[in-house]
Amino acid sequence: MRCRQVVDKISEYIDGELDPELVRELERHLQHCEDCRVVVDTTRKTVEVFCHTEPAPLPNDVRERLNQMFRHSFRKGEPTELARRFKH
Amino acid sequence: MPTHLDNEQSIVAAAQAGDSDAFVTLLNQYSRHIYRLGLSITGNHQDAEDVLQESSLKAYRAIAEFQGNSRFYTWLVRIAVNVALGKLRKRALWKESSLDEPREGDDGSYVPMEIESWGDDPEKACLHNELQQLLAEVIQKLDPKSRIIFTLRDVEKFTIEETAKLLGLSIPVVKTRLLRSRLKLREELTKYFGKDARNAMPTSRR
């Protein structure tokens, strides 16, 4: 397997969806190609950092306007309590 | 993808029966994810807020129609994605057709430029809110279609198949775009986390 093919297969490899025979070929390549090892490792870390990072809490003004929307959009009595209780 | 609530099925059932507290409980669990999703897709805070408001309202009004065939969050994301795509369509940034797919890179011509191992794990290299800011910035370097595919697959952890279905795209298009997005974001993040990068902090970079 060549470097170019490794790059093409990175997604399936790090997702564990690559055919086992291709996994063996790819890993054989990684054993002697430092550059591809780095690219595979940092691509995996890229995916991990995005999926591990929790979203920030809603900004206060966004939360407040969401509350207002519920106050104005629903029938009387239905949304008021709803709006007051948003936490995030 | 956020963890679902304990007893989520019964909370959804209560919301469907008209219990507004139950709906609030559901929305409290997921609103910041929906806001982040809207921000990733549209690229600006005003549209992200609109996505959150409009999708919350639609979900509230339509919750009786939720069949329970998927997680509630998946159903809510579907609504939010449709609202967000509507905004991109207005700005002529979104077409479902794959016929307009650019071909560059599809033939494997991509060559990594930044080949440098990362010094520290990103979570250790900068503070959490700085990391959030950096990730929000770099994801905007992707084109809209790649951005939303990456967000659904790698941020929200939907499967390739679910992502394709949510967006009305073919699986090969999703896979190709996902690969290119991951590689591009890897390049961008290596500028901050590479061993020789001067400073990983987004607020103090040059």
Side-chain angles (χ1 to χ4, degrees), chain B residues 95-113:
Chain B
K95 289 178 184 173
E96 274 79 0
S97 167
S98 60
L99 297 175
D100 66 335
E101 285 294 296
R103 302 298 302 170
E104 77 275 15
D106 293 359
D107 60 353
S109 61
Y110 172 87
V111 178
M113 302 297 289

Side-chain angles (χ1 to χ4, degrees), chain A residues 4 8 11 15 38 42-43 46 51-56 58 65 69 74 78 82 85-88, chain B residues 20-21 24 27-28 32 35-36 49 53 57 60 107-108 116-118 123 132 135 154 179 182 186:
Chain A
R4 186 166 144 171
D8 283 348
S11 260
D15 286 345
V38 169
T42 51
T43 304
T46 296
C51 82
H52 288 167
T53 304
E54 280 292 301
L58 278 187
R65 284 191 290 271
M69 180 202 73
F74 293 112
E78 186 181 35
L82 187 72
R85 299 172 66 92
F86 281 108
K87 292 185 298 189
H88 300 296
Chain B
S20 57
D21 283 356
V24 168
L27 205 53
N28 276 337
R32 56 198 182 124
Y35 184 78
R36 179 176 66 172
E49 183 172 347
Q53 288 194 358
L57 199 54
Y60 186 82
D107 60 353
E116 191 182 333
S117 59
W118 291 3
E123 286 98 331
Q132 286 173 333
L135 298 183
D154 281 346
L179 171 64
R182 287 172 166 180
R186 187 201 71 82

Side-chain angles (χ1 to χ4, degrees), chain A residues 3-12 14-15 17 34-36 38-59 61-67 69-70 73-74 77-79 81-83 85-88, chain B residues 20-21 23-24 27-29 31-33 35-36 45 49 52-54 56-57 60-61 105 107-110 112 114-118 120-123 128 131-132 135-136 138-139 150 153-155 157 160 175 178-179 182-183 185-186 189-190 193:
Chain A
C3 297
R4 186 166 144 171
Q5 293 167 294
V6 171
V7 170
D8 283 348
K9 302 293 181 199
I10 279 184
S11 260
E12 291 166 285
I14 64 178
D15 286 345
E17 292 172 357
E34 168 73 16
D35 282 358
C36 281
V38 169
V39 171
V40 168
D41 180 60
T42 51
T43 304
R44 180 184 280 119
K45 284 178 175 167
T46 296
V47 173
E48 286 173 355
V49 73
F50 273 96
C51 82
H52 288 167
T53 304
E54 280 292 301
L58 278 187
D61 57 335
V62 172
R63 187 187 58 218
E64 179 52 32
R65 284 191 290 271
L66 187 64
N67 292 348
M69 180 202 73
F70 276 105
S73 299
F74 293 112
E78 186 181 35
E81 183 61 21
L82 187 72
R85 299 172 66 92
F86 281 108
K87 292 185 298 189
H88 300 296
Chain B
S20 57
D21 283 356
F23 185 77
V24 168
L27 205 53
N28 276 337
Q29 181 75 357
S31 56
R32 56 198 182 124
H33 287 266
Y35 184 78
R36 179 176 66 172
H45 287 276
E49 183 172 347
L52 174 62
Q53 288 194 358
E54 290 172 33
S56 300
L57 199 54
Y60 186 82
R61 289 174 173 164
D107 60 353
S109 61
Y110 172 87
E114 302 274 354
I115 301 178
E116 191 182 333
S117 59
W118 291 3
D120 271 325
D121 284 340
E123 286 98 331
H128 183 68
L131 186 59
Q132 286 173 333
L135 298 183
V138 296
I139 204 170
F150 179 83
R153 175 70 185 98
D154 281 346
V155 180
K157 303 308 286 177
I160 297 273
K175 284 186 171 177
L178 180 68
L179 171 64
R182 287 172 166 180
L183 293 171
L185 292 170
R186 187 201 71 82
L189 291 181
T190 296
F193 300 123

Side-chain angles (χ1 to χ4, degrees), chain B residues 125 191-193 196-202 204-206:
Chain B
K191 294 173 188 170
Y192 302 105
F193 300 123
D196 295 332
R198 289 200 169 182
N199 201 326
M201 300 299 185
S204 56
R205 68 182 181 275
R206 289 175 300 163

